[in-house]
Amino acid sequence: MGITGTASGNQLTFTINSNAEKPTYLVIRMNDLEKLVVLADPLESNAPPPSGTGVYNLKDSPYYADNTWMSDVTEIIQQAIDDASAAGGGVVYVPAGVYKVKDILFMKSNVTLYLQGGAVIKSNPDRSLYKYTTSREGKIFIDPMIRIDHAPNAKILGRGVLDASGIAIMDKNSASPTYLGYRRNVIVGNFSNHVTIEGIIIKDSTTWTINGIQGGEGFTVRYVKIINHKNPYQYKIMNDGIDLCGTRNALAENNFVMTVDDALCAKSTKNHFPMYNVRFRNNIVFSSCAGLKAGLQSLSPMYDVWFEDNDVIQARRGIVVEATSGNQQMHDIHFVNTRVESFVFTSMGRSIPVEIEARTAPVSDVYIDGVLFERSAYNPIHIYGSSNTNAVKNVTFTGLNMCGEVLADTAEAWIIEGNYTAGVCVTSRSDKGL
C-alpha cells in the first residue's frame, strides 16, 4: 500500500490517509509479536438520528435496555425490531454500550438494526443456557445470533460490534463427547431479497460467520470487519468468513476477514436455485484455509462468479474451485487481479497456490487473470477431475506471476494436471502487468 513506517526504540509510527474514500485495513507484523490489526474506515456520513419518527432507540421509552451487560436484553431488542416492523419499517437504534443477548434475534422486513460506534451486542458465554442441535456428522450447533428469514430490505448497519462469544461458548475439553461443539453462526439468512450488511465489526464466530442469503437476491455485504479465531493448531473449526450461499445478484466488497477457515466463498447450497452474478470485490483476507473459493457445494448450477481485486494476506490455498458436494455444473468463474502474499502449512495439508477439483460435478471455463503469488507454495497448482462426466475443462491463466516472474506457458507454471482435465492454458500478458 506504499505505507512507510518509522521505528524509534519500541515505537512504530506510520500514517494512513484519513480522507480516503476506501477503508484502510492493515495487518502489521512487528518481529515475532502478535499481529496488530488496524481497521480504519472513512468517517461515517449516513448515520441515522438517535431519535425521531421511525426510530426505536433501545435506551428510550419503552425499552430502557441495560447497556452494561448486567442483564439479558434479547427480548427487548426483539420487541424493538417487532415494533418497527409493525409500523411498516424503521430503525432500531443501538447506542454505545454492551448489550447481553442469548436467544436468536429475528430481523424483519424493512427494518434497519443500527449499531452506533461503541455499541456491542454480545452473546452470553454461559454454555449451559443454550439448546443445541446435532448434525448428521455429529457436529453440535446452537442457533445463530441473527436470522434474516423472509425479511426483504432488512439492514444491519453502523460501526458497532456483533460478538458471538464463540470460543467461550464452545466446549474445549478434548475428553468431552461434545468437544468443539456448541458452535455458533452470527448471521444466517434465507428467502430475503435486497438485504444489506454494512460497516459493522463481527467477532468470534465458530462456524460460518455470514451465511446467506439462500433463496434470495440482491444481498450486499460491504465495509464489514470479521475477526475470528485464527489459530488452526489450537482449534481447526469451520468458521468461514463471508459465504454467499445459494444467492444471486450478490456483492461482497471492501470487507476484511481474519479467520481459520475459508475467508470468501461462493457456495451453491440450495436445490433448484441457480446461482449467478456474484461478486467479491476489493476485499482483504487472512486465513489458514482457502483465501478465495468457489464451491464446495454445487447443488444448483453456479456461473458468472467474479473475484476481483482481492488481497490474500495469508492462506493455505490461495485460489480454489471445487465441486465436492452436489452434481450441478460450475462454470464461468473468474479471479481477476489477485495478490497472495504468503502461505501457511496446517494440519489440513501443505500449501497450494491454486486448486481446481471436479469430484462430484463438472467444472469448466475458469479464468485466472493477473494473480501475483509473492511467495512460493509447497505444492504446485493442482487441477483434476474424477470421471468423464465430472471433468475440469478450459482453465486459462493469464499473467500468472510467481515470485516476480510472469509465466508464459504451462511448462513454466508447475501445474499438475490429473485425470479428466482438458484445455489448461497459460499465457503471459503483454499489454499490462501487475
Side-chain angles (χ1 to χ4, degrees):
M1 296 187 69
I3 297 173
T4 300
T6 301
S8 177
N10 65 353
Q11 294 185 341
L12 174 66
T13 303
F14 60 94
T15 301
I16 60 177
N17 181 6
S18 61
N19 296 316
E21 293 183 3
K22 291 185 178 182
T24 300
Y25 300 151
L26 306 175
V27 177
I28 302 170
R29 293 183 175 93
M30 292 178 285
N31 303 326
D32 295 326
L33 300 174
E34 178 58 283
K35 297 168 185 64
L36 173 65
V37 179
V38 175
L39 305 172
D41 286 305
L43 292 175
E44 199 170 12
S45 60
N46 59 348
S51 61
T53 302
V55 177
Y56 301 79
N57 191 310
L58 292 184
K59 292 299 294 177
D60 292 344
S61 175
Y63 310 111
Y64 302 117
D66 172 46
N67 67 347
T68 66
W69 211 61
M70 296 299 293
S71 57
D72 188 278
V73 297
T74 309
E75 291 186 2
I76 295 174
I77 298 175
Q78 188 63 61
Q79 186 61 60
I81 293 171
D82 293 347
D83 290 347
S85 175
V91 175
V92 175
Y93 193 102
V94 186
V98 185
Y99 301 81
K100 182 186 290 186
V101 296
K102 176 179 72 72
D103 297 317
I104 190 169
L105 293 170
F106 293 90
M107 289 297 295
K108 300 294 180 68
S109 303
N110 304 309
V111 173
T112 295
L113 180 65
Y114 175 79
L115 285 76
Q116 183 186 35
V120 181
I121 298 178
K122 181 175 173 62
S123 294
N124 191 320
D126 184 351
R127 183 165 59 250
S128 67
L129 298 175
Y130 293 95
K131 297 178 182 179
Y132 63 88
T133 58
T134 304
S135 70
R136 289 176 297 178
E137 300 86 5
K139 299 184 176 80
I140 295 173
F141 300 94
I142 62 174
D143 285 334
M145 287 188 73
I146 295 176
R147 291 200 71 97
I148 308 173
D149 287 342
H150 298 86
N153 304 309
K155 295 179 174 61
I156 303 174
L157 311 176
R159 297 293 173 79
V161 179
L162 296 176
D163 186 340
S165 299
I167 295 297
I169 293 173
M170 194 172 69
D171 185 353
K172 299 178 287 296
N173 179 6
S174 60
S176 169
T178 59
Y179 176 54
L180 301 188
Y182 299 94
R183 300 205 336 249
R184 191 172 212 191
N185 304 94
V186 177
I187 298 172
V188 174
N190 298 281
F191 305 107
S192 303
N193 294 337
H194 306 297
V195 169
T196 301
I197 304 171
E198 182 174 317
I200 62 171
I201 297 170
I202 302 178
K203 294 179 61 178
D204 204 9
S205 176
T206 43
T207 185
W208 299 0
T209 307
I210 296 177
N211 175 2
I213 299 282
Q214 295 191 85
E217 303 195 31
F219 183 37
T220 300
V221 184
R222 58 164 62 100
Y223 304 119
V224 169
K225 288 75 65 177
I226 294 175
I227 306 290
N228 285 340
H229 164 71
K230 61 178 176 54
N231 184 353
Y233 303 101
Q234 183 181 20
Y235 311 117
K236 173 60 178 79
I237 52 179
M238 295 182 293
N239 59 349
D240 289 8
I242 300 173
D243 290 344
L244 300 183
C245 293
T247 188
R248 53 199 183 207
N249 301 316
L251 172 65
E253 67 175 354
N254 294 319
N255 302 293
F256 176 86
V257 175
M258 176 175 275
T259 194
V260 163
D261 211 357
D262 303 330
L264 303 176
C265 301
K267 301 182 179 185
S268 182
T269 55
K270 186 166 182 57
N271 291 310
H272 313 299
F273 192 86
M275 185 169 171
Y276 52 81
N277 188 23
V278 174
R279 300 291 190 271
F280 294 87
R281 191 164 59 208
N282 290 321
N283 301 288
I284 300 173
V285 303
F286 183 106
S287 167
S288 293
C289 205
L292 313 175
K293 185 168 83 169
L296 55 207
Q297 289 86 350
S298 54
L299 303 186
S300 291
M302 180 196 299
Y303 56 94
D304 189 22
V305 176
W306 292 74
F307 294 80
E308 304 169 273
D309 301 304
N310 295 294
D311 196 326
V312 179
I313 300 171
Q314 173 189 289
R316 185 179 72 82
R317 299 187 293 172
I319 291 173
V320 179
V321 181
E322 59 182 7
T324 56
S325 174
N327 60 7
Q328 298 299 302
Q329 184 178 24
M330 298 172 58
H331 66 103
D332 193 24
I333 313 293
H334 301 255
F335 299 86
V336 180
N337 294 335
T338 303
R339 186 180 76 94
V340 179
E341 181 175 316
S342 62
F343 291 102
V344 62
F345 299 171
T346 75
S347 60
M348 298 296 291
R350 296 185 181 271
S351 56
I352 303 173
V354 179
E355 186 169 32
I356 302 174
E357 176 184 6
R359 187 188 306 174
T360 63
V363 174
S364 65
D365 303 315
V366 178
Y367 303 93
I368 301 175
D369 183 8
V371 58
L372 167 62
F373 296 100
E374 291 195 354
R375 294 175 179 85
S376 297
Y378 181 88
N379 287 303
I381 294 170
H382 281 64
I383 303 173
Y384 46 96
S386 62
S387 66
N388 287 326
T389 300
N390 300 326
V392 178
K393 299 180 180 179
N394 302 329
V395 178
T396 301
F397 295 86
T398 305
L400 176 60
N401 189 322
M402 290 288 192
C403 303
E405 180 182 359
V406 179
L407 307 181
D409 54 47
T410 53
E412 292 183 336
W414 199 32
I415 297 174
I416 293 181
E417 295 185 50
N419 295 326
Y420 310 107
T421 65
V424 177
C425 176
V426 177
T427 64
S428 62
R429 182 165 51 186
S430 59
D431 58 329
K432 60 180 178 178
L434 287 168

